[in-house]
Amino acid sequence: MIADFLAPDAPLRDWDNDCLWHPFTPMSAWIKEQAPIITASDGFFLQDTEGRRYLDGISSLWCNVHGHRVPEIDAAIRSQLDHVAHSTLLGLASEPSIRLARALIDRAPAGLSRVFYSDSGATTVEVALKMAYQYHRQKSSDGEDRSMFLCIGNAYHGDTLGTVSVGGIDLFHRSYRHLLFRTLTVPSPVALRVPAGHSRETWLQHCFDEVERQLRENHQQVAAVVMEPLVQGAAGILVHPTGYLRHVRQLCDRYNVLLIADEVATGFGRTGTLFACEQEQVQPDFLCLAKGISGGYLPLGATLTTERVYAAFLGDPWQGRTFYHGHTYTGNALACAAGLASLKLFEDRHVLQNAALAATVIRQRLAGLQQHPQVAEVRQRGLMVGIELVLERDSLTPFPVEFRIGHHVTLAARRRGLILRPLGDVIVLMPAPGMTPELIGEICDKAIECIEEVVQNALRRLASGSPL
Ligand SMILES: *Cc1c(COP(=O)(O)O)cnc(C)c1O
């Protein structure tokens, strides 16, 4: 009976265990853990079936911007519902998608003048990859077949096969290696663990030089460089040195290679500016936006590009220069309405100023962890924070993997009413750009308590030889 699914006293826990397969989740461990089942929210708090409240310390996986149940965004979606929830962009145009495209172009780095919508972060990068490839084939009468992309080590651009091909996170990507297209990779410009024979300085210099060498040697085969500007999120909040993004842009110009900036994570205030590229005055050829674009309300992606790229796809319809790509829910009206309301809130509530203040609060509150014997590094750019835990700071020896130390910190956080999600042994704090500095301070203080509790417990267990 259909009514069974809707009964207020339905056994949700059992149904979750019986019917769902959760993303990025070792399901055998999940079933034992009884994760909260979220049924309500207010502001920056989520509430579960037991009535417990949790502070959302990771912006609902890096996408929430102004909180949950934001009156202005709720009203915009309701008002759109009174008109139309969804209509296609294939053969029809739709009002909210037009307004949002105009607003995005006004705010994006100069030179970006066209918006191609899709519905997730991965699809925005897929779109950029295909456009970059097809651009080189069609830009002149003797079009080039440039089928390579230059990628940064440990990159993450999503989980579809194209984005896995340009990704470099071994744990996530190694199973699929026979299915992927070939790419060129340069090392990620970070200097926590430098290879033998290098100092931090010589290693970073090597990372800069490698981009130049790869492009010098291979530019005729390379369609585009793909990168997450300033911060590599899923790699463990790896923060690039100042000037790297600019350096890559300059080399792309020199060698006539396109630059794809994946700002799916860094966009919409997460690094302090609306877009990370602004901080190095970089104009990418593609800007990939998702996660925060709808304020964290609804799935939406946008790939912005330049008139130069767009022009290579023009011609008579029968010439076959069209970009044959699209997704059914492309430019969904409700999601675009939410996106417009979110952009308005950025102005009305001075969200970027708030984010700047919040970033300072985080820096101050976490300062004490910098010297902690089980903390390898506290990495931060704006509101993106990674605290890497290690057994031994000097040798950077990790905790045994079976300890799942990061996961245990999130369990400790849950007991204190805080939602966190780690990346391996890196504890991630990703407060929303609209969150008050007071709540952000609370996230920091609770995270420190949890780290302390779990680390001390782990050290005791190691000393006594028992498992965590
Ligand atoms: C999350 C993320 C993606 C993938 O976005 P989805 O919406 O999950 O497909 C791509 N790139 C970066 C940098 C991300 O952080």
Side-chain angles (χ1 to χ4, degrees):
M1 290 262 290
I2 205 84
D4 289 351
F5 314 149
L6 303 172
D9 59 347
L12 296 178
R13 172 75 56 205
D14 296 343
W15 289 0
D16 181 68
N17 288 341
D18 292 347
C19 309
L20 271 89
W21 187 343
H22 286 262
F24 279 94
T25 302
M27 288 305 290
S28 43
W30 167 267
I31 296 201
K32 293 182 214 119
E33 264 158 27
Q34 312 244 326
I37 300 173
I38 301 302
T39 50
S41 64
D42 61 282
F44 297 96
F45 288 85
L46 297 169
Q47 190 174 313
D48 72 4
T49 41
E50 313 293 311
R52 287 178 299 221
R53 286 173 90 230
Y54 302 92
L55 184 51
D56 185 355
I58 50 158
S59 301
S60 291
L61 219 80
W62 314 4
C63 64
N64 189 274
V65 178
H66 312 284
H68 303 274
R69 286 177 61 204
V70 182
E72 293 87 340
I73 304 180
D74 292 4
I77 294 172
R78 284 200 187 98
S79 151
Q80 184 58 40
L81 266 177
D82 288 336
H83 294 88
V84 55
H86 179 72
S87 61
T88 183
L89 293 196
L90 284 69
L92 294 175
S94 102
E95 182 189 347
S97 74
I98 297 170
R99 292 188 192 279
L100 180 61
R102 180 76 257 167
L104 289 173
I105 282 169
D106 283 351
R107 285 158 184 76
L112 297 165
S113 58
R114 292 281 161 183
V115 177
F116 189 95
Y117 285 113
S118 57
D119 45 34
S120 71
T123 55
T124 67
V125 178
E126 292 281 346
V127 164
L129 296 173
K130 288 173 72 177
M131 279 182 179
Y133 172 74
Q134 196 174 340
Y135 163 78
H136 288 289
R137 292 179 65 99
Q138 297 181 175
K139 68 186 174 192
S140 60
S141 51
D142 51 348
E144 299 165 57
D145 190 50
R146 298 192 186 198
S147 58
M148 296 285 258
F149 292 90
L150 181 62
C151 316
I152 315 290
N154 286 305
Y156 179 79
H157 298 291
D159 298 318
T160 56
L161 283 173
T163 56
V164 170
S165 294
V166 293
I169 299 185
D170 193 48
L171 176 68
F172 302 167
H173 299 154
R174 66 180 166 226
S175 306
Y176 313 107
R177 64 184 183 281
H178 296 309
L179 301 179
L180 307 180
F181 55 75
R182 281 183 53 230
T183 56
L184 300 167
T185 306
V186 290
S188 175
V190 293
L192 178 61
R193 295 174 176 81
V194 301
H198 276 288
S199 68
R200 287 176 73 97
E201 288 69 30
T202 66
W203 172 248
L204 286 178
Q205 188 56 50
H206 172 79
C207 294
F208 277 63
D209 294 345
E210 273 296 283
V211 186
E212 141 95 280
R213 184 185 67 80
Q214 288 281 15
L215 285 178
R216 182 170 13 93
E217 291 176 5
N218 302 299
H219 63 96
Q220 276 146 343
Q221 284 83 51
V222 177
V225 175
V226 192
M227 69 183 290
E228 299 158 80
L230 304 193
V231 183
Q232 291 184 248
I237 318 295
L238 302 181
V239 178
H240 289 175
T242 305
Y244 183 76
L245 173 61
R246 242 192 118 56
H247 173 69
V248 174
R249 174 72 269 183
Q250 283 162 351
L251 291 168
C252 286
D253 286 342
R254 185 182 316 159
Y255 291 106
N256 193 21
V257 165
L258 299 171
L259 175 62
I260 300 173
D262 174 355
E263 292 225 30
V264 170
T266 54
F268 300 98
R270 211 61 71 174
T271 67
T273 41
L274 193 60
F275 302 113
C277 284
E278 294 167 33
Q279 295 187 33
E280 302 206 349
Q281 294 87 45
V282 159
Q283 303 176 5
D285 298 287
F286 297 93
L287 181 69
C288 300
L289 304 174
K291 290 202 169 100
I293 191 172
S294 64
Y297 263 61
L298 286 161
L300 182 67
T303 308
L304 276 60
T305 191
T306 62
E307 221 51 25
R308 171 165 75 124
V309 169
Y310 175 74
F313 291 76
L314 301 178
D316 291 321
W318 50 88
Q319 287 181 305
R321 299 164 73 85
T322 302
F323 187 54
Y324 288 108
H325 183 112
H327 302 275
T328 306
Y329 285 100
T330 282
N332 173 264
L334 295 177
C336 289
L340 280 162
S342 168
L343 281 179
K344 184 159 186 308
L345 285 176
F346 266 97
E347 289 175 12
D348 295 351
R349 295 189 179 175
H350 309 290
V351 170
L352 295 176
Q353 280 104 304
N354 181 71
L357 188 62
T360 312
V361 169
I362 297 173
R363 202 167 299 284
Q364 288 163 353
R365 294 288 176 106
L366 297 184
L369 281 182
Q370 297 279 4
Q371 301 309 319
H372 191 288
Q374 273 72 47
V375 172
E377 233 181 11
V378 179
R379 299 186 279 267
Q380 182 193 352
R381 188 88 195 219
L383 300 171
M384 303 179 78
V385 182
I387 304 162
E388 181 166 339
L389 302 181
V390 284
L391 181 57
E392 211 190 274
R393 182 190 174 89
D394 293 335
S395 59
L396 297 173
T397 311
F399 279 98
V401 279
E402 59 279 14
F403 271 43
R404 300 187 75 201
I405 192 95
H407 180 65
H408 279 277
V409 172
T410 60
L411 295 181
R414 200 183 288 167
R415 293 193 289 273
R416 289 174 172 78
L418 170 66
I419 299 294
L420 294 180
R421 177 160 176 100
L423 290 159
D425 294 353
V426 178
I427 309 306
V428 176
L429 310 184
M430 189 80 65
M435 193 182 266
T436 60
E438 292 70 35
L439 285 179
I440 288 183
E442 190 179 325
I443 293 178
C444 294
D445 294 348
K446 283 191 170 159
I448 294 171
E449 267 176 53
C450 298
I451 288 170
E452 204 52 54
E453 173 189 305
V454 172
V455 158
Q456 293 315 325
N457 198 9
L459 294 175
R460 269 196 304 278
R461 297 295 174 102
L462 266 175
S464 70
S466 58
L468 196 65

